[in-house]
């Protein structure tokens, strides 16, 4: 039963004005840099057209079912990640704070990449990077020195990063509907248009079809390789933004009596649709590049920072109307990344607000100012790129996937909460959730993800990561991943305010 006091409390926490706004915000979170710069290369490397099979299996057996789980948690228990877990069972609150920690770390460095992309959107017009984009990016732009830690600020990064943080603080302070919701309602359609224009332009380049052939040519033997299946599961989890607490937080802002399973289908399919579109755009452009330089597509295919800040500028240099192509690409990165960044910050702000019962503005400042300072001091210096690379690598592996597996196991086996979550989903959901869902979430998906994690762990233990000094990997990799875990469980020890209903209260709707 919900009481009038609950309704007032909910209105104060913030609400999305409609299911449409929620879906757009969830898509905004899911569609990020991962879709544009990670998916195309992962698909290319892991069997091309044949990769679609493990990818779709992972989407339907793990991605969307786990999305159901997070939606059910947030929508039923109506709280940020820590509060929803605490209401599920008091002892699991630490899981929520662990996710909050992961989100805080991601926000710190994700903002930096958006700042680079912002600079590069403008650089596209004058091809500021000159004839050697590689040397320009690492040398002139980042001014990367030796690996280590320096406090030499690079003004070319500092200024766009300040702009990104300024915009973020305004959006976050505006609250759930006016800030988070409205940003997605505006940015997502604009992103779709910009990206479609990019794909069309890329498809008209000579050599585009060779690029698409390289991407989609199926290598069926890849299906026998467990690593390919692992890559599919990893991509789906990262890409759908699950395991971060984002979907728990967002669904707590959705009106009661809403079709959550239908919403999850829309979000899951839109995200994958965008991903495939990105694959087409990126590989068409790479096909052009390969032809222009007379090499095979495999020679120019890359992902991540190398694709965006080295390969793409080179493509822009050669392509007809290259300035437009470059602007569309970097502008898309900024839009896609910004809405994802908003979603990770919302996880942290929402948790702080629930726990300390503070105003939206105060929670926003308490979270974003330290985050912005760490981001500015840590990453706008000449050593930022190295730290970013290491933190990113470790948080992706031992943050997101590990929390996802642990929370699935705890909800299924320790709390035994799946049947009640299933019932909640079925109350208003358009996709019927049955026993298959319980089997997937309690056994099959944890086993597959556990396997992926252990292989990754062995690989990391086997060879130290990159060419970095050992202490850097220790501090910014292992220690950072451990720190968010420990901080999470310490934060869970802080008692709730006496007027926050946490215990044994059914949050079911009237
Ligand atoms: N789904 C996002 C992406 O594809 C992942 C992400 C979300 C990363 C939020 C950072 C912050 O990029």
């Amino acid at each position: 039963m919900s009481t009038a006091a609950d309704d007032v409390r909910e209105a104060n926490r913030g609400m999305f004005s409609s299911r449409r706004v929620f879906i757009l915000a969830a898509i905004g979170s899911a569609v990020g840099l991962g879709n544009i710069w990670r998916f195309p290369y992962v698909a290319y490397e892991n069997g091309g057209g044949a990769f679609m099979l493990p990818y779709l299996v992972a989407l339907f057996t793990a991605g969307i079912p786990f999305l159901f789980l997070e939606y059910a948690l947030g929508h039923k228990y109506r709280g940020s990640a820590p509060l929803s877990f605490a209401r599920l069972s008091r002892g699991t609150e630490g899981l929520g704070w662990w996710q909050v920690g992961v989100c805080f770390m991601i926000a710190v460095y994700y903002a930096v990449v958006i700042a680079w992309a912002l600079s590069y959107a403008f650089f596209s017009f004058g091809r500021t990077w000159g004839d050697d984009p590689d040397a320009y990016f690492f040398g002139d732009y980042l001014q990367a020195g030796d690996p280590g830690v320096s406090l030499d600020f690079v003004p070319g990064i500092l200024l766009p990063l300040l702009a990104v943080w300024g915009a973020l603080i305004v959006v976050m302070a505006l609250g759930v509907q006016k800030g988070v919701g409205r940003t997605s309602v505006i940015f997502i359609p604009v992103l779709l248009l910009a990206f479609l224009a990019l794909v069309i332009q890329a498809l008209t380049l000579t050599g585009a079809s060779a690029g698409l052939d390289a991407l989609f040519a199926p290598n069926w033997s890849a299906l026998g390789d467990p690593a390919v299946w692992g890559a599919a599961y990893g991509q789906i989890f990262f890409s759908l933004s699950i395991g971060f607490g984002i979907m728990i937080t967002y669904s707590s802002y959705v009106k009661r009596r809403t079709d959550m399973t239908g919403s999850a289908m829309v979000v899951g399919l839109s995200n994958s649709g965008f991903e495939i579109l990105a694959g087409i755009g990126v590989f068409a452009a790479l096909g052009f590049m390969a032809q222009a330089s007379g090499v095979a597509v495999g020679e120019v295919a890359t992902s991540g920072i190398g694709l965006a800040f080295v390969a793409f500028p080179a493509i822009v240099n050669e392509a007809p109307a290259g300035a437009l192509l470059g602007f569309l690409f970097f502008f898309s990165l900024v839009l896609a990344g910004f809405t994802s960044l908003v979603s990770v910050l919302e996880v942290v702000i929402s948790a702080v607000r629930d726990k300390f019962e503070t105003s939206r503005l105060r929670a926003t400042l308490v979270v974003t100012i330290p985050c912005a300072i760490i981001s500015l001091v840590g990453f706008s210096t000449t050593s930022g790129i190295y730290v970013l690379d290491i933190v990113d690598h470790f948080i992706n592996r031992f943050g997101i996937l590990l929390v996802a597996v642990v929370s699935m196991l705890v909800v299924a086996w320790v709390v035994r909460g799946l049947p009640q979550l299933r019932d909640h989903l079925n109350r208003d959901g358009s996709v019927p959730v049955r026993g298959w869902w319980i089997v997937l979430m309690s056994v099959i998906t944890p086993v597959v993800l556990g396997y992926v994690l252990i292989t990754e762990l062995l690989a990391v233990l086997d060879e130290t990561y990159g060419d970095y000094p050992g202490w850097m990997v220790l501090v910014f990799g292992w220690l950072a991943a451990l720190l968010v875990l420990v901080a999470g469980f310490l934060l869970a020890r802080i008692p709730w305010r006496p007027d926050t209903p946490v215990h044994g209260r059914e949050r079911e709707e009237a």
Side-chain angles (χ1 to χ4, degrees), residues 29-35 106 110 238-241 244 246 340-341 343-344:
S29 171
V31 173
L33 301 183
N35 298 58
I106 293 180
Y110 215 71
F238 184 75
S239 181
L240 278 177
S241 302
F244 303 53
I246 296 173
S340 298
L341 195 47
S343 72
V344 277

Side-chain angles (χ1 to χ4, degrees), residues 40-99:
Y41 188 71
V42 170
Y44 166 76
E45 242 199 346
N46 290 285
F51 182 72
M52 281 296 125
L53 183 72
Y55 177 78
L56 290 176
V57 169
L59 174 66
F60 286 106
T61 64
I64 292 181
F66 195 74
L67 210 49
F68 284 0
L69 178 72
E70 293 209 333
Y71 280 5
L73 274 172
H75 192 244
K76 180 173 166 73
Y77 296 108
R78 313 204 67 71
S80 54
L83 183 55
S84 290
F85 274 112
R87 283 176 173 163
L88 170 75
S89 168
R90 189 63 180 83
T92 61
E93 184 187 334
L95 288 174
W97 288 107
W98 186 8
Q99 295 179 325

Side-chain angles (χ1 to χ4, degrees), residues 98 101-102 105 390-400 402-403 457 473-489:
W98 186 8
V102 169
M105 299 283 286
I390 298 174
V391 179
D392 178 55
H393 184 82
F394 278 74
I395 284 288
N396 278 339
R397 276 158 192 79
F398 306 113
I400 303 167
L402 189 60
V403 198
L457 186 68
V473 177
L474 198 66
V475 173
F476 298 112
W478 293 108
L479 221 59
L482 194 68
L483 190 73
V484 288
L485 175 64
V486 174
F489 284 86

Side-chain angles (χ1 to χ4, degrees), residues 164-179:
V164 169
W165 278 107
L168 279 170
I169 292 176
V170 172
V171 166
M172 300 320 292
L174 282 171
V176 175
Q177 170 60 27
K178 293 207 185 103

Side-chain angles (χ1 to χ4, degrees), residues 213-257:
D213 285 346
L215 173 62
F216 289 115
N219 166 15
W220 297 110
S221 65
L223 297 183
D225 181 356
V228 168
W229 289 81
Y233 277 79
Q235 175 64 24
I236 285 289
F237 268 69
F238 184 75
S239 181
L240 278 177
S241 302
I242 45 191
F244 303 53
I246 296 173
M247 295 300 168
I248 300 179
T249 309
Y250 274 10
S251 51
S252 76
Y253 299 138
V254 177
K255 294 200 183 83
R256 293 153 199 255
R257 317 269 1 200

